[in-house]
């Protein structure tokens, strides 16, 4: 009898799940380990007042990534998960009482912007959307879906200098928005997309405008929330034969002769393997959390280069004052100050922008009563150097509710009963991050190239997840898992394990 070649995937986040599925369907013996109790990583749910609330990602985009993943596993994504396209992408509110919905339909948004800020701004919006689409078209296959290129490699891959130039890596996102839009509220609204990768619009390159296209291309609401997506990909991997083990923390990646030999669990158990895909944050390898054999295989991200963290609240509460959409954003009146507070003064702004996901507002069937809410504000990624005290946290809670009320939304409960996750909590859940949720911040023209790729300097060790190329977000981390699997399959020696 011959042994199948074995791969251990450490982490059942989006990247680990996708890698596990592809590797299992390619015929490898796959064991997935996760230190937590279930699959999903940041796609987690928490219980509050008997209700399960999505506590991590809520905006589901780039469906094509999952269509392709499931097709590789011989299944149809749309059969595995029920989902509804969102006609309103997000509802936005400001303290001066102004409101604006962004729609899936570009012309509906242009009309709404025309009423909101005038015809000139509606025209600017159409141009903005076209520019975002152009950048996305240039980088989708050459960067997002492909193994990590060097800057020169990317230019060669794209093969069109003008298209490359139009991706605007040397201009900041904010300066591009200033040229496009006169209305500061629209700059804020479209500037917020850089926070999807944990970055400030004042320091990120205009290239990140492609995120606006990603959202315009479609946002879906999933039955069962984002946890259902994680469960579906786990089932896909299991259908290929992958085995999942939870509450199983990998303590050491075993290496000898410059080659991976297996994984040692915290329990002391050793699992021999020909290859390992590491789906934790790449910083964990740099800092030696997975043992001396792999220490330094990635670069430790200096604190000032870390991406945003957050403080989140999962609550069940009655709301009043304004009707919520599924995704809602309540903007601060000092956007630059908000990012300066987080990235420079290392504190939550005194009047932060608040994102609210109203998870029962899906099919227009919400009839009132307490509803499931996720509230989120940006926070500094310093969860490894001490937690906010109770008084400080109470102050943040109070400010969040005051800000929502000033924008027109009231909650019938304070936030003390909510399940709160601070940067310190995120650092505990995702070791070596300091609570940074998206790896390295995309600040400056070269940041996108400084994430590690799927391949490491150790034979048999591959990386997947939001801290590696092509970057964070559930679909992007999924792509990274597929890239790790593809690289591994192309490099693993043929034939049975010895
Ligand atoms: C509050 C919040 C909101 C977000 N909003 C969105 C959104 O709306 N849309 C979107 O697309 N993205 C969003 N994101 C980002 C998105 O969730 C992440 O980029 C993505 O899920 C990361 O996936 P990953 O593959 O890096 O794995 P992770 O989710 O980071 O999971 C890694 C897994 O590895 C495990 N692990 C780590 N070390 C070990 C070890 N030594 N042994 C065993 N297991 C280990 C961990 O337990 C974890 O389960 C959000 C994230 C957060 C936190």
């Amino acid at each position: 009898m011959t042994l199948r070649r074995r791969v251990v995937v450490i982490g059942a986040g989006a990247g680990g799940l996708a890698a596990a599925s592809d590797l299992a369907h390619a015929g490898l013996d796959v064991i997935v380990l996760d230190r937590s109790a279930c699959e999903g990583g940041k796609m987690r749910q928490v219980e509050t007042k008997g209700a399960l609330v999505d506590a991590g990602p809520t905006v589901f985009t780039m469906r094509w990534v999952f269509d392709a993943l499931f097709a590789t596993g011989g299944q149809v994504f749309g059969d595995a998960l029920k989902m509804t396209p969102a006609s309103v992408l997000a509802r936005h509110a400001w303290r001066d009482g102004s409101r604006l919905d962004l729609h899936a339909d570009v012309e509906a948004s242009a009309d709404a912007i025309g009423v909101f800020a005038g015809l000139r701004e509606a025209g600017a919006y159409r141009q903005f959307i076209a520019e975002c689409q152009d950048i996305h078209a240039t980088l989708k296959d050459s960067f997002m879906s492909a193994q990590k290129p060097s800057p020169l490699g990317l230019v060669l891959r794209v093969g069109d200098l003008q298209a490359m130039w139009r991706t605007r890596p040397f201009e900041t996102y904010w300066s591009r928005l200033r040229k496009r839009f006169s209305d500061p509220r629209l700059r804020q609204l479209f500037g917020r997309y850089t926070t999807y990768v944990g970055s400030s619009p004042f320091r990120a390159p205009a290239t990140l405008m492609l995120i606006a296209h990603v959202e315009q291309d479609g946002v879906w609401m999933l039955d069962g929330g984002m946890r259902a997506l994680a469960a579906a990909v786990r089932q896909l991997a299991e259908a290929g034969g992958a085995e999942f083990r939870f509450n199983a923390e990998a303590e050491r990646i075993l290496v000898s002769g410059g080659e991976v030999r297996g994984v040692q669990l915290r329990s002391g158990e050793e699992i021999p393997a020909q290859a390992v895909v590491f789906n934790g944050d790449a910083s964990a390898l740099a800092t030696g959390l997975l043992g001396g054999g792999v220490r330094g295989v990635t670069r430790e991200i200096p604190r000032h280069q870390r991406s945003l963290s957050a403080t989140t609240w999962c609550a069940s509460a009655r709301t009043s004052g304004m009707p919520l959409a599924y995704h809602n954003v309540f903007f601060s009146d000092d956007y630059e100050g908000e990012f300066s507070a987080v990235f420079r003064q290392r504190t939550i702004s005194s009047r932060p922008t608040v994102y609210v996901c109203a998870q029962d507002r899906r099919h227009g069937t919400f009839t009132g009563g307490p509803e499931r809410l996720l509230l989120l504000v940006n926070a500094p990624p310093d969860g490894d150097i001490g937690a906010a005290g109770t008084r400080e946290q109470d102050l943040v809670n109070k400010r969040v509710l005051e800000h929502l009320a000033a924008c027109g939304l009231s909650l019938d409960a304070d936030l003390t009963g909510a399940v709160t996750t601070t940067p310190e909590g995120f650092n505990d859940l995702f070791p070596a991050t300091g609570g940074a949720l998206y790896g390295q911040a995309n600040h400056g023209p070269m940041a996108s190239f400084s994430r590690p790729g799927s391949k490491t300097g150790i034979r048999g060790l591959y990386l997947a997840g939001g801290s590696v190329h092509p970057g964070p977000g559930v679909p992007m981390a999924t792509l990274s898992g597929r890239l790790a699997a593809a690289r591994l399959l192309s490099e693993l020696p043929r034939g049975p394990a010895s």
Side-chain angles (χ1 to χ4, degrees), residues 324 466 477:
L324 290 169

Side-chain angles (χ1 to χ4, degrees), residues 433-446:
T433 60
L437 299 173
Y438 314 87
Q440 181 177 336
N442 259 72
H443 292 160
M446 288 302 138

Side-chain angles (χ1 to χ4, degrees), residues 10-16 33-36 40-43 55-59 248-250 278-280 290 312 376 426 429-431 437-438 465-467 472-475 477:
I10 302 174
L33 307 171
D34 203 294
R35 64 200 285 274
S36 68
K42 295 186 178 82
M43 289 182 275
T58 52
V59 184
E249 178 158 359
F278 183 69
N279 176 225
L290 274 292
T312 60
L376 180 152
F426 282 118
L429 288 167
F430 309 108
L437 299 173
Y438 314 87
S467 65
V474 171

Side-chain angles (χ1 to χ4, degrees), residues 79-313:
D79 292 346
L81 209 61
K82 273 185 75 180
M83 65 197 94
T84 323
S87 57
V88 171
L89 299 181
R91 179 156 296 159
H92 307 86
W94 286 262
R95 291 175 75 91
D96 64 3
S98 48
R99 308 248 166 91
L100 177 65
D101 282 1
L102 209 60
H103 300 268
D105 176 37
V106 172
E107 283 311 312
S109 293
D111 288 348
I113 289 171
V115 173
F116 179 78
L119 285 182
R120 197 210 149 272
E121 295 296 88
Y125 163 73
R126 287 195 189 89
Q127 288 171 354
F128 174 76
I129 286 298
E131 192 174 5
C132 297
Q133 182 169 15
D134 179 51
I135 297 174
H136 182 265
T138 302
L139 297 177
K140 178 173 175 254
D141 295 334
S142 60
F143 187 85
M144 292 159 70
S145 312
Q147 299 288 352
K148 182 188 163 186
S150 65
L152 178 62
L154 179 62
V155 173
L156 294 174
R157 250 184 222 169
V158 171
D160 176 346
L161 272 182
Q162 283 195 344
M164 239 357 264
W165 187 248
R166 291 197 307 272
T167 65
R168 302 191 182 279
F170 301 109
E171 186 174 355
T172 68
Y173 195 106
W174 194 256
S175 73
R176 195 77 202 138
L177 289 175
R178 282 177 67 97
K179 283 179 196 153
R180 279 263 170 257
F181 297 104
S182 309
D183 191 310
R185 297 166 303 174
L186 294 175
R187 291 177 190 157
Q188 237 179 341
L189 191 158
F190 293 110
R192 184 176 158 271
Y193 285 125
T194 60
T195 65
Y196 286 22
V197 292
S199 305
S200 158
F202 300 92
R203 297 169 70 188
T207 318
L208 294 193
M209 283 162 59
L210 67 80
I211 301 172
H213 174 76
V214 160
E215 202 170 271
Q216 195 61 59
D217 203 30
V219 174
W220 281 264
M221 296 169 294
L222 308 180
D223 280 17
M226 295 295 273
R227 275 281 303 120
L229 175 67
V233 184
R234 172 185 168 180
Q235 278 164 20
L236 179 72
E238 283 177 334
E243 178 193 336
F244 282 77
R245 292 176 59 178
F246 296 105
N247 302 307
E249 178 158 359
E251 190 167 59
R252 188 175 292 272
I253 296 173
L254 304 170
V255 175
S256 73
E259 205 169 320
V260 159
R261 302 288 174 192
V263 173
Q264 184 188 321
L265 301 186
R266 185 179 266 276
S267 62
E269 182 190 354
E270 287 189 9
I271 306 176
Q274 281 73 49
V276 167
V277 177
F278 183 69
N279 176 225
D281 196 278
S283 293
L285 301 181
T287 52
L289 274 188
L290 274 292
V294 292
R295 180 196 278 274
V297 74
T298 56
R299 183 180 68 92
E300 188 172 353
I301 301 172
R303 184 175 301 282
H304 70 275
Q305 288 181 5
R306 287 177 182 167
S307 57
L308 289 170
S309 187
T311 291
T312 60
W313 297 262

Side-chain angles (χ1 to χ4, degrees), residues 398-414:
K398 215 169 128 228
R399 283 175 174 162
V400 164
L401 292 180
E402 270 171 13
H403 178 57
L404 292 178
C407 293
L409 181 76
S410 299
L411 269 59
D412 76 341
D414 67 15

